[in-house]
Amino acid sequence: MSSPRNKISLCRSVCLVVLAAGIVFTGFAQAQVGLTQLSEDTFTDTASQHATEVEPSTFTYGSTIVSAFQVARIFGGGGADIGFATSTNSGVSWTHGYLPGITIYQGGSNSAASDAAVAYDALHKVWLISTLPIGNNTSVAVSRSSDGLTWGNPIPVTGSASADKNWIVCDDTPTSHYYGNCYSEWDNTNNGDEILMSTSTDGGQTWGPALATAGQDFGIGGVPVVKPGGKVVVPILGFNGDVIAFNSTNGGKSWSAAVNVATYISHGEAGGLRSAGLVSSAIDAGGKIYVMWPDCRFRTNCSSNDIVYSTSATGTTWTAVKRVPIDAVTSTVDHFITGAAIAPGTKGSKAQIALAYYFYPVSNCGNNCSLSVGFIQSSTGGATWTTAETLAGPMQLTWLPGTFSGTMVADYISMGFGGGKAFPVFASAQAKTGSLFHEAIYTTTSGQLAPTPELEVMTAAGDRPVPNAHSDHGPREYLDQDNLIPISGKRPPESE
């Protein structure tokens, strides 16, 4: 399947392994579908917890799906490197390897790397993976590839600030005023997590100055999207107890002050699991934007989280919060850590939304929690939904690597599309063997078919938030990515 663990020293550039289609892993007792393992941690360094992989980002363009993720998780932040898994045939088979030149384990100078995010620049015909190299001065960088298989050394986006939770998107609409622009987002922990943006007009080879928003807004986990006319909208979790969004209408030359999307009302997950509560965003072919996040406003006493969402046609005015009807509001199920996407070319009342998430069947599970991966989709732009499926699990939290902010499976997961099917990409684990973990990146072997109307029987049209709903936890002190510098304000756990 992949390289033996004792041969990793031979792979000092891009180490490629092809995973044949249909390699199905059946160790997940309650999974309803076959899974394909996309990658594995073959590093042997002493700093990491082996074998672990966490936090995939995925992007689709044409028949190519590229996912990137942390490999060999390090307790204090990041992994030994960023791995990738690429399919050039709509998810039939996959190739995986490691990005070169970032960390000391793959020919670079940094001790770790974190927060991978994938984009494609259609004008310049280049794939980009944004990463967070962790060293003496945490920065943002991008790795470039013409085919999603062979990657160059990282190119700095910024190195002058202590960066965190980066993301990237490109304008891929040929009729857009800013076709070929790519936009990088991060927050600066040296300035209270001020939100910053940078723009590239040459396929990620060079990047413009770091620009703050007009309101000098603060937040974490921005996930930018680009409307067909070139307007960039960046939904993000703000530090004042809300979800916010800001935009640029001039190709990234300046950025507006943030507007409010919704209040952020969350339940704190049990079991010491690291769960940052970050937003996930997606945009349909007509430019309608969806922002999703875990939220407890529909649950009595904020007893557990649903996945909720708000939509906007402009990025400045947002709808009232709606609930994804995964389970009844009277259930004990707790939902968190999301990854959403919309099938290319679909829009409006026929937008195909695919959503993956983690969940506990019993929210109040103390220190004996059971973690699983779920999936649900809609072909009606969210009006109706399929019955939810369990993709992997149950997992015990002791099967997951530790971090300074809890045991970790991900801060976010992701979704690709190929051949009319959704391919959720996520980390999942099986029982440890001694000190060796068995946590890797998976997708469904055959993809998830687009639903037909008769299969979409779930709706939340009649659900209403609980009056005066509020989070079941108060403000906490949060630290920078090295777990050293206190960051003021109400915010989710640190993302490294």
Side-chain angles (χ1 to χ4, degrees):
M1 181 179 62
S2 59
S3 302
R5 293 178 58 82
N6 60 1
K7 292 185 179 179
I8 187 60
S9 60
L10 299 179
C11 292
R12 306 309 294 179
S13 56
V14 181
C15 182
L16 299 179
V17 181
V18 176
L19 294 177
I23 300 179
V24 180
F25 293 78
T26 57
F28 303 107
Q30 295 181 6
Q32 300 173 358
V33 298
L35 300 180
T36 293
Q37 183 175 335
L38 298 185
S39 178
E40 70 170 341
D41 166 18
T42 57
F43 289 94
T44 58
D45 60 284
T46 58
S48 299
Q49 301 165 87
H50 302 291
T52 60
E53 294 181 321
V54 299
E55 205 164 82
S57 165
T58 305
F59 193 82
T60 300
Y61 191 84
S63 60
T64 299
I65 310 169
V66 176
S67 185
F69 36 83
Q70 295 181 41
V71 180
R73 176 68 197 190
I74 297 170
F75 181 91
D81 199 21
I82 298 299
F84 70 89
T86 298
S87 175
T88 59
N89 52 15
S90 298
V92 175
S93 61
W94 297 81
T95 299
H96 78 94
Y98 307 117
L99 297 186
I102 302 176
T103 72
I104 56 176
Y105 309 107
Q106 285 291 105
S109 59
N110 296 284
S111 58
S114 186
D115 294 355
V118 184
Y120 182 72
D121 179 349
L123 175 62
H124 301 99
K125 296 181 173 56
V126 62
W127 288 91
L128 301 173
I129 297 179
S130 172
T131 61
L132 203 66
I134 300 175
N136 293 329
N137 187 26
T138 302
S139 59
V140 178
V142 293
S143 299
R144 303 173 74 249
S145 173
S146 61
D147 58 6
L149 300 171
T150 302
W151 298 85
N153 287 330
I155 295 170
V157 175
T158 181
S160 60
S162 184
D164 194 15
K165 194 47 65 186
N166 49 293
W167 207 262
I168 191 170
V169 72
C170 297
D171 188 336
D172 290 336
T173 303
T175 56
S176 166
H177 299 300
Y178 304 106
Y179 180 44
N181 278 16
C182 294
Y183 306 97
S184 177
E185 183 275 342
W186 70 95
D187 57 275
N188 177 10
T189 64
N190 279 345
N191 191 28
D193 288 275
E194 182 181 29
I195 302 164
L196 296 172
M197 300 292 301
S198 179
T199 302
S200 173
T201 60
D202 59 5
Q205 297 182 85
T206 60
W207 291 85
L211 301 177
T213 68
Q216 293 186 306
D217 298 289
F218 298 83
I220 190 169
V223 190
V225 295
V226 185
K227 290 175 62 63
K231 184 177 185 178
V232 189
V233 179
V234 189
I236 188 170
L237 191 55
F239 283 178
N240 295 314
D242 49 20
V243 178
I244 59 178
F246 60 94
N247 68 81
S248 175
T249 58
N250 56 14
K253 294 181 177 66
S254 63
W255 299 88
S256 75
V259 299
N260 183 267
V261 175
T263 55
Y264 181 77
I265 306 172
S266 68
H267 164 73
E269 285 80 33
L273 179 73
R274 174 181 167 133
S275 179
L278 302 178
V279 304
S280 178
S281 68
I283 188 167
D284 74 11
K288 184 178 181 179
I289 305 160
Y290 291 71
V291 182
M292 296 187 170
W293 68 94
D295 188 286
C296 65
R297 75 187 62 209
F298 292 91
R299 302 292 180 126
T300 301
N301 297 324
C302 191
S303 57
S304 60
N305 285 321
D306 293 294
I307 305 303
V308 304
Y309 65 99
S310 177
T311 66
S312 176
T314 63
T316 54
T317 303
W318 295 83
T319 63
V321 174
K322 299 179 182 180
R323 189 180 78 93
V324 180
I326 301 169
D327 295 284
V329 294
T330 55
S331 77
T332 63
V333 184
D334 194 8
H335 316 80
F336 41 86
I337 309 178
T338 65
I342 297 175
T346 67
K347 63 181 179 179
S349 62
K350 295 184 179 180
Q352 181 189 342
I353 309 167
L355 171 67
Y357 54 91
Y358 288 92
F359 69 93
Y360 291 154
V362 178
S363 176
N364 186 20
C365 50
N367 292 316
N368 188 29
C369 298
S370 176
L371 181 67
S372 294
V373 183
F375 174 82
I376 193 170
Q377 59 181 329
S378 169
S379 65
T380 58
T384 56
W385 297 80
T386 61
T387 302
E389 298 178 77
T390 298
L391 302 183
M395 295 170 264
Q396 297 179 21
L397 300 189
T398 55
W399 300 353
L400 308 179
T403 75
F404 59 78
S405 54
T407 54
M408 185 175 188
V409 69
D411 288 342
Y412 52 82
I413 50 178
S414 56
M415 192 74 58
F417 286 93
K421 302 175 183 179
F423 284 86
V425 183
F426 53 89
S428 194
Q430 300 183 57
K432 294 168 62 176
T433 303
S435 62
L436 187 69
F437 292 85
H438 296 289
E439 182 188 44
I441 302 300
Y442 294 85
T443 190
T444 54
T445 300
S446 301
Q448 305 300 101
L449 286 170
T452 55
E454 61 270 17
L455 295 179
E456 295 186 54
V457 297
M458 307 299 290
T459 179
D463 292 344
R464 298 291 182 269
V466 175
N468 302 314
H470 58 85
S471 298
D472 64 359
H473 55 83
R476 292 168 287 182
E477 180 180 73
Y478 300 97
L479 306 177
D480 72 338
Q481 74 276 359
D482 294 315
N483 202 28
L484 296 174
I485 304 171
I487 304 297
S488 61
K490 182 186 291 185
R491 58 167 293 173
E494 222 7 87
S495 64
E496 282 312 298

